[in-house]
Amino acid sequence: MHSTTTTDRLRTALGDVGYPAAKEQLADHASRNNADEDTVHALRSIPEGVYESFDEVVRSVPVDEERDA
């Protein structure tokens, strides 16, 4: 299992989440949206706090765009 994901995977997992959202809300939402295990794990690895936007989440999550290349 990796602790990284891609921006596209995050967008799919969190596309309909309401912001602001806490770390656990983001990970739970992604899990309910059937996100892959790596994406959920990456979200669980971000710092505790409330995230105001998708862009703020992307800046905090370990992203590796080369994973799907």
Side-chain angles (χ1 to χ4, degrees), residues 1-6 9-10 36-46 60-64 67:
M1 175 174 28
H2 299 277
S3 60
T4 63
T5 188
T6 66
R9 289 179 184 194
L10 283 172
D36 62 280
E37 194 173 319
D38 292 340
T39 298
V40 174
H41 187 262
L43 285 165
R44 292 199 189 284
S45 74
I46 64 176
S60 298
V61 172
V63 172
D64 180 4
R67 283 195 55 199

Side-chain angles (χ1 to χ4, degrees), residues 10-19 21 26 29-30 32-34 54:
L10 283 172
R11 188 172 285 112
T12 299
L14 301 177
D16 59 346
V17 73
Y19 292 96
L26 294 167
H29 189 86
R32 283 194 304 276
N33 275 351
N34 298 316
F54 178 76

